[in-house]
Amino acid sequence: MTGQALAGPDGKPRCPWGLATEDYVRYHDEEWGRPVHGDDALFERLCLEAFQSGLSWITILRRREGFRRAFAGFRIASVAEFTDADRDRLLADTGIIRNRAKIDASMANARVLAGWAPGELDALIWSYAPDPASRPVPRTLADVPAVTPESAALSKTLKKQGLRFIGPTTAYALMQACGLVDDHLADCVARGAATT
């Protein structure tokens, strides 16, 4: 694999990772890199990116509905009220990744965010979106960073606010997934398809 955009099943060029499975094609074309707004929606992405740490994204993607059921649709107010009994329920739920540290972080993060004003998480995360004109357009996968100054700063700010399991790499994956940056390759059919 050259790391350059490759023709998909419809002949249109896509980022190579977006062709690995049918689930990836759909996620690549319809979600990844498109703007996500709303505190609960961004909380879901924060949680899922944390659960993905050390795993393949396809593992999370295929269990996303299970995660949504288990975590009350990722409504911050609901998850903030989870108890030890909920933790035990989550640890026994085969529809999600049963990692105690990640479950505890999701619950703790919800408790922190429940004290924020509506829209505050959205505003904070989006304040770290870099100026698109300042970023080179990636031509190959080798041109796509794993961490940027903005993701390091976002991670630092979230940690300072009390959030857990959100290092610079996870923060950058969040930025990519939620459309703060457009890391679709230059020749990819999805490049520039979304706007904030």
Side-chain angles (χ1 to χ4, degrees):
M1 188 177 295
T2 65
Q4 296 176 325
L6 300 173
D10 57 3
K12 295 177 181 175
R14 288 177 175 81
C15 302
W17 67 264
L19 296 170
T21 69
E22 197 172 304
D23 293 326
Y24 267 159
V25 172
R26 195 167 39 256
Y27 176 70
H28 169 275
D29 288 3
E30 299 171 12
E31 292 187 59
W32 194 77
R34 294 181 185 262
V36 174
H37 286 281
D39 293 344
D40 290 341
L42 288 165
F43 173 64
E44 174 181 347
R45 297 303 181 92
L46 275 170
C47 291
L48 294 179
E49 293 295 347
F51 272 99
Q52 186 270 330
S53 182
L55 302 170
S56 167
W57 178 247
I58 196 68
T59 302
I60 304 303
L61 192 58
R62 289 182 174 160
R63 294 182 184 203
R64 184 163 55 173
E65 289 309 314
F67 273 108
R68 286 174 173 164
R69 282 189 298 276
F71 281 91
F74 289 101
R75 289 183 303 278
I76 293 168
S78 298
V79 178
E81 294 180 358
F82 278 13
T83 64
D84 289 346
D86 288 298
R87 177 187 298 108
D88 293 342
R89 171 184 58 81
L90 293 167
L91 287 168
D93 190 333
T94 59
I96 67 169
I97 304 301
R98 297 174 293 171
N99 179 297
R100 180 180 295 274
K102 294 175 183 180
I103 288 170
D104 286 346
S106 296
M107 292 169 56
N109 290 349
R111 288 185 196 109
V112 169
L113 296 172
W116 291 21
E120 191 173 353
L121 177 62
D122 187 305
L124 184 141
I125 288 175
W126 277 90
S127 72
Y128 286 89
D131 175 3
S134 71
R135 294 178 46 83
V137 176
R139 302 207 68 73
T140 71
L141 293 179
D143 298 331
V144 179
V147 175
T148 64
E150 294 87 0
S151 76
L154 174 59
S155 170
K156 183 176 180 180
T157 297
L158 291 172
K159 287 179 179 179
K160 191 173 182 180
Q161 295 292 327
L163 273 68
R164 297 166 24 192
F165 242 102
I166 181 75
T169 302
T170 299
Y172 193 65
L174 174 79
M175 293 172 75
Q176 291 173 305
C178 295
L180 279 75
V181 296
D182 184 354
D183 274 346
H184 286 286
L185 300 183
D187 296 332
C188 176
V189 67
R191 175 85 195 165
T195 58
T196 55

